[in-house]
Amino acid sequence: MEKLFKLKEKGTSVKTEILAGLTTFLAMAYILGVNPIILGDAGMDQGSVFMATAISAAFASIVMGLVANYPVALAAGMGVNALFSYTVCLGMGYSWQAALCAVFVSGVIFVLISVTGIRQMIINAIPIQLKLAIGSGIGFFIAFVGLKNAGIIVSNTSTAVGIGNLTDPAVLLAVVGLLVTIALVIKNVPAAVFVGMVITAILGIIGGMMGLANMPSLPTDFTLNLSMHGAGAFMDGFGELFSNPMAAFVIIFSFLFVDFFDTAGTLISIGNRIGLVNEKGELENAEKALLADAIGTVFGAAIGTSTVTSFVESSSGVGVGGRTGLTAVTTGVLFLLSILISPIILSAVTNAVTAPALIVVGVMMAQQLKGIDWDDMVYATSSFITILMMVLMYSISNGIACGFIVYTVGMCAAGRIKQIHPTVWVLMVIFIIYFATPYMM
């Protein structure tokens, strides 16, 4: 292990790395309950999604640890799974097989740009303000999804949306779970989101035993469901996805964009904390880390889950001393072992249990708002429109498109045309064509 992970050089030990891996797993474990529900809304079998989520997280985390020696674990990403279900499938009408195909293609492209150096060119072309706005906007979007799924927010014919029935036991459970999770996060409890889900599930199970309706429950059958109906299904989606090339481009670009910059932000953030950023601001082994992330996405799509990406929750493991890839490998092994308790997770984790996690993770993602220069109206308007349109259009890709268009127009109005990167011009034209096409939702 010393030769493989350079433990002494990094100032750590096997014991510390394993503890860090456990901590990271606990901080990320909520994805095992949340992802099957979100992708289930797209028509996928939740049991199969659980298996794909656990196996892809295990595989990608282990690859990250062995290839890049980073203490960064990976799993199906929050936000991009919402893009998969609520925008591509429910919004644009594509099947989940076509959506998996788009994820697979985006992963292959990510692999190519990770090994050809195109990555740096793209990163430099996109303004940091828009990157922050997109991350924040996705936070608001998934929080809204959580509120809707829990019944806290419902449709209203007079005002579009309104407050749900707070006397409904399931809705009340979600509210209580949200308050508990917020309290845990504020008190800096390790793995607060996961602990909040566990507490909410336990409260729901107790409520169910007392006769309350629509509560989480323990399974009556503990037989493991090892079926993976989504494995290889992406191959069935090629024809449907590329029947409209422009729509296919926008979908693939959206998956690639969110994964690309979410991963870059996570790696830079953690790299800064553990001394992997040199005096030039360059991240050591960045290409290997991005390649590991891309391989995870390709593998995840192949076995039946949405985009696999680096989790910022890995910082929790770094916080207890994780410095090498052994942390990520440990987390990956624990994801694999989680399959043994899949019946409990699938039965006890309902919308009321996952809603608090979605909302609180949304809050964490929205903290990127502080990095936006709100005194510059070009950045303020483009960022605001990006975030607002994601929520009101119920579409992450539409929000991204609107933000790029407003940014380009704003820069022109401000007399800063020369500062617009040529890549941004190309993207703006593509997005205008996207909005002009009949299929656009």
Side-chain angles (χ1 to χ4, degrees):
M1 286 192 180
E2 173 59 38
K3 182 179 179 180
L4 187 60
F5 298 110
K6 302 178 181 179
L7 300 176
K8 290 183 180 179
E9 179 183 325
K10 300 294 184 180
T12 184
S13 65
V14 173
K15 179 181 178 180
T16 299
E17 293 294 299
I18 292 177
L19 177 61
L22 174 61
T23 301
T24 297
F25 172 75
L26 291 175
M28 293 174 59
Y30 67 86
I31 195 64
L32 292 171
V34 175
N35 202 48
I37 288 179
I38 291 180
L39 298 194
D41 288 343
M44 298 188 70
D45 176 73
Q46 291 192 15
S48 296
V49 174
F50 178 94
M51 286 291 294
T53 302
I55 294 174
S56 62
F59 173 83
S61 298
I62 292 172
V63 170
M64 176 67 79
L66 296 178
V67 173
N69 198 24
Y70 270 44
V72 176
L74 300 90
M78 291 297 298
V80 71
N81 54 5
L83 169 63
F84 182 104
S85 291
Y86 305 117
T87 297
V88 177
C89 293
L90 299 182
M92 300 176 72
Y94 284 91
S95 68
W96 58 266
Q97 291 90 340
L100 280 179
C101 177
V103 173
F104 180 85
V105 174
S106 72
V108 171
I109 296 173
F110 200 176
V111 170
L112 295 176
I113 64 177
S114 295
V115 299
T116 58
I118 298 176
R119 173 192 66 89
Q120 193 64 43
M121 181 189 74
I122 297 177
I123 288 178
N124 291 337
I126 309 302
I128 183 62
Q129 303 289 329
L130 281 184
K131 298 173 191 173
L132 295 172
I134 290 167
S136 303
I138 292 173
F140 282 99
F141 182 81
I142 64 174
F144 182 65
V145 170
L147 291 167
K148 182 186 73 70
N149 287 350
I152 298 174
I153 297 297
V154 297
S155 60
N156 185 294
T157 55
S158 300
T159 59
V161 293
I163 190 170
N165 179 12
L166 298 184
T167 63
D168 184 313
V171 176
L172 187 59
L173 175 64
V175 172
V176 172
L178 174 60
L179 296 177
V180 168
T181 305
I182 289 174
L184 293 172
V185 170
I186 291 174
K187 292 181 70 66
N188 293 316
V189 173
V193 173
F194 177 71
V195 174
M197 284 183 63
V198 172
I199 293 175
T200 306
I202 291 174
L203 291 175
I205 291 171
I206 294 174
M209 292 178 176
M210 296 173 61
L212 297 178
N214 303 319
M215 291 288 104
S217 61
L218 292 174
T220 56
D221 183 5
F222 284 86
T223 303
L224 294 180
N225 177 10
L226 302 180
S227 63
M228 296 185 66
H229 302 299
F234 76 94
M235 298 180 66
D236 298 328
F238 273 98
E240 179 185 356
L241 177 65
F242 289 100
S243 62
N244 187 324
M246 180 57 66
F249 173 84
V250 172
I251 293 169
I252 293 169
F253 172 80
S254 296
F255 280 130
L256 178 65
F257 186 92
V258 174
D259 184 26
F260 190 93
F261 291 110
D262 183 60
T263 298
T266 297
L267 296 180
I268 291 172
S269 174
I270 292 177
N272 274 320
R273 292 189 61 180
I274 62 178
L276 291 177
V277 178
N278 60 30
E279 62 278 1
K280 297 180 181 180
E282 299 170 340
L283 192 63
E284 297 178 13
N285 287 332
E287 299 301 333
K288 290 183 178 179
L290 285 165
L291 180 60
D293 187 285
I295 291 173
T297 292
V298 173
F299 179 80
I303 66 172
T305 189
S306 54
T307 303
V308 173
T309 187
S310 300
F311 262 55
V312 72
E313 284 85 351
S314 300
S315 59
S316 62
V318 172
V320 299
R323 293 294 181 272
T324 75
L326 182 54
T327 293
V329 171
T330 301
T331 302
V333 171
L334 290 172
F335 267 113
L336 203 58
L337 294 175
S338 69
I339 294 173
L340 300 176
I341 60 171
S342 59
I344 297 176
I345 295 176
L346 292 173
S347 179
V349 179
T350 63
N351 280 332
V353 174
T354 59
L358 289 170
I359 297 166
V360 172
V361 170
V363 173
M364 295 175 178
M365 296 177 72
Q367 289 180 311
Q368 298 175 67
L369 285 170
K370 64 185 177 183
I372 297 174
D373 184 3
W374 294 102
D375 292 326
D376 187 320
M377 284 304 294
V378 172
Y379 297 136
T381 53
S382 57
S383 297
F384 181 80
I385 291 298
T386 297
I387 297 167
L388 188 65
M389 291 301 109
M390 277 191 190
V391 178
L392 296 186
M393 291 185 173
Y394 209 67
S395 170
I396 294 171
S397 58
N398 284 357
I400 293 174
C402 290
F404 267 90
I405 294 171
V406 172
Y407 167 77
T408 307
V409 172
M411 290 292 282
C412 292
R416 291 146 61 180
I417 297 179
K418 293 182 179 180
Q419 297 179 33
I420 303 175
H421 195 282
T423 302
V424 175
W425 282 111
V426 173
L427 293 174
M428 188 193 73
V429 172
I430 290 171
F431 285 135
I432 290 175
I433 296 174
Y434 163 61
F435 280 119
T437 52
Y439 68 83
M440 213 286 297
M441 300 295 294

